[in-house]
Amino acid sequence: MTEASRKGNDAQVEQAVTHLWAGELALARTELAGVLEEAPRHSGALKVQTCVLLELGAVDEAAGTVTRLREVAPAQPEVAVLAALVEQRRETPAPNWREALVQAWRRVGHPDLRDAERFPQPLPDRESFIDTVWERTQSVEARFTAALADNASDAQQQWLTGHLSALEAPDLLLAAHEYFRPGSDDTALNDMRLKARKSLRRKLEPLNTGASASEGPLLLLLGEAKDAPLTREDIQALERIAALPNYRSLTLAQMGAAAKRRLGAAGITPRSARLFQAAVAAMPLDATLTLKKRVAATKDRLSAGERSRLGQAVFTLGERIAAGSALVDRLVGLSQMRQGAELMDDPEKLAQVTRDLEQARAVFQATSSLQVDAWPLPSLQDDWLKAALADEWTHLSALVVP
């Protein structure tokens, strides 16, 4: 087969994946039939055909296709998982895709798919998600939500900074403050971002009076000082902030629902992956990283008693963060707790937090190993991301259950 023919077949497979994601399963099958007639051992086409048949519920046909695939690519770990997924669907046809994939991955020894041959991907979108939103609406809320879910251009960021006065929801104000963090690029853009953050802090100040969640007050306390030592007044304020009952004002599920509502008002129905990205990006974490640096710059200036007090505040705040359902909150919160335990010189707390942090890192590694976002199975992706939005920590912890 010529190089041109191979490239043509690969392009047809990508077109089939594009049809698959659009729900056009018959068109996907037609594209794949053409490829497999010319190149019956095309592993990418066989992988995608297996996924199309699973989407159609044609599990027996999928089993036949994956048998051919295993003959073509017996050493590819993602093929072993896909074959186990087909078998899992035959044994338990009820539509719990998330559980089926977890069981399939574990059945074949939970291989690391990060270095495996990726599943074929769809053709590039003719128009980016954010550009589509930009064309359909001038709503600042919808456009900023799209920016959280996608990559905004410099011009789009500039437009957003010029319309921040229209943002009122506290969750969006907090997300915008983090979104406009200065980067390492153009100085003019950084000046724009710093001005945006300054105006956002002015809007946040009255909203955080009497707050029950600590993310806003912590952000305001730390400001733009990235590694300056904490003053005694700062530590007292930190103790008050740590005593608040919650770290987040909204859960991951609530953030996902808010993103869906804001985009829906503009006539946009995004994929679950976009909603999840918007929800996670709306969860500010810069303040916790700044706190960690500033605590490190402070600890040697304090007496043993003052270090213990600071450690208790940091530990308690970490507990509030780690109580969130997002994996990133679990990791960041436990890291904060470890710093607090070290400051308190509490070996028992430190040992427990270290064990919990090891477990959280194991969950993160398992999630990375499975590479779910690469699988061209829309039903699986929807189930997976809905479970993640509902309670990501519980959902992903199933990957490391003995």
Side-chain angles (χ1 to χ4, degrees):
M1 181 179 292
T2 66
E3 182 67 20
S5 295
R6 279 194 292 271
K7 287 183 177 179
N9 287 336
D10 290 346
Q12 279 185 272
V13 174
E14 290 174 350
Q15 182 62 68
V17 179
T18 303
H19 287 314
L20 172 56
W21 276 109
E24 299 164 341
L25 302 183
L27 292 175
R29 294 192 74 175
T30 299
E31 290 285 352
L32 294 168
V35 174
L36 291 170
E37 182 177 355
E38 183 178 347
R41 294 175 63 82
H42 193 293
S43 62
L46 290 168
K47 288 177 186 177
V48 177
Q49 186 181 59
T50 303
C51 292
V52 170
L53 292 169
L54 284 173
E55 284 287 331
L56 288 167
V59 182
D60 288 339
E61 288 184 71
T65 302
V66 86
T67 297
R68 292 168 57 194
L69 178 58
R70 296 194 79 168
E71 294 170 356
V72 170
Q76 292 182 11
E78 74 280 8
V79 173
V81 180
L82 182 59
L85 177 61
V86 172
E87 189 60 29
Q88 190 71 28
R89 299 299 291 171
R90 294 180 82 173
E91 294 173 3
T92 312
N96 189 335
W97 286 92
R98 183 192 71 86
E99 179 65 20
L101 180 63
V102 172
Q103 292 299 328
W105 181 67
R106 294 174 67 184
R107 177 180 288 187
V108 295
H110 39 78
D112 189 341
L113 304 184
R114 282 174 290 187
D115 295 325
E117 184 177 315
R118 283 176 63 85
F119 284 93
Q121 298 299 295
L123 293 169
D125 292 333
R126 293 190 183 92
E127 185 176 52
S128 71
F129 174 74
I130 192 170
D131 287 343
T132 300
V133 175
W134 227 257
E135 288 178 2
R136 292 199 189 179
T137 181
Q138 291 194 349
S139 162
V140 182
E141 284 196 351
R143 286 186 168 188
F144 179 60
T145 300
L148 293 173
D150 200 1
N151 295 316
S153 66
D154 291 349
Q156 288 165 336
Q157 290 184 45
Q158 288 171 343
W159 186 92
L160 287 169
T161 60
H163 293 79
L164 289 176
S165 59
L167 286 183
E168 298 294 339
D171 62 307
L172 289 184
L173 293 172
L174 285 167
H177 186 275
E178 180 142 321
Y179 181 83
F180 288 110
R181 70 168 72 85
S184 58
D185 49 10
D186 184 81
T187 303
L189 281 174
N190 278 333
D191 288 344
M192 173 196 76
R193 291 169 185 147
L194 285 169
K195 288 177 183 176
R197 284 163 72 97
K198 188 175 181 180
S199 69
L200 287 162
R201 283 197 298 275
R202 285 197 297 268
K203 295 192 74 170
L204 283 165
E205 283 171 1
L207 297 176
N208 283 287
T209 303
S212 61
S214 53
E215 57 181 343
L218 181 65
L219 180 154
L220 294 172
L221 171 67
L222 299 175
E224 297 292 347
K226 297 301 181 186
D227 51 14
L230 297 166
T231 66
R232 283 176 171 75
E233 291 75 16
D234 290 336
I235 294 173
Q236 289 173 353
L238 182 63
E239 287 177 315
R240 291 193 294 271
I241 290 170
L244 295 173
N246 303 300
Y247 182 70
R248 299 286 184 199
S249 55
L250 294 177
T251 65
L252 187 61
Q254 289 169 326
M255 289 176 179
K260 184 176 183 179
R261 184 183 70 252
R262 287 160 181 153
L263 292 168
I268 304 291
T269 304
R271 289 181 186 168
S272 299
R274 292 293 184 192
L275 288 179
F276 185 75
Q277 175 61 29
V280 171
M283 301 172 67
L285 283 170
D286 274 3
T288 64
L289 302 177
T290 298
L291 177 62
K292 198 169 185 179
K293 292 179 182 178
R294 294 190 65 180
V295 167
T298 306
K299 61 182 182 179
D300 292 337
R301 298 166 179 256
L302 303 175
S303 67
E306 288 171 328
R307 272 199 306 274
S308 183
R309 276 185 59 194
L310 176 58
Q312 183 61 63
V314 170
F315 188 90
T316 302
L317 185 63
E319 284 184 309
R320 303 284 190 265
I321 299 169
S325 66
L327 175 58
V328 68
D329 276 350
R330 185 65 57 118
L331 287 163
V332 169
L334 287 169
S335 178
Q336 205 99 58
M337 291 168 68
R338 182 174 61 182
Q339 187 182 42
E342 289 170 347
L343 285 167
M344 288 187 286
D345 194 20
D346 188 324
E348 187 175 337
K349 278 188 170 67
L350 183 58
Q352 182 60 55
V353 170
T354 300
R355 288 192 293 270
D356 292 344
L357 194 52
E358 286 174 356
Q359 183 196 18
R361 286 172 176 163
V363 171
F364 175 77
Q365 288 298 325
T367 305
S368 301
S369 296
L370 195 46
Q371 295 286 294
V372 174
D373 59 347
W375 289 65
L377 271 165
S379 294
L380 167 64
Q381 298 281 358
D382 283 346
D383 272 8
W384 193 269
L385 290 166
K386 284 175 185 175
L389 281 170
D391 189 335
E392 187 184 28
W393 173 250
T394 300
H395 155 56
L396 295 179
S397 293
L399 294 174
V400 296
V401 173

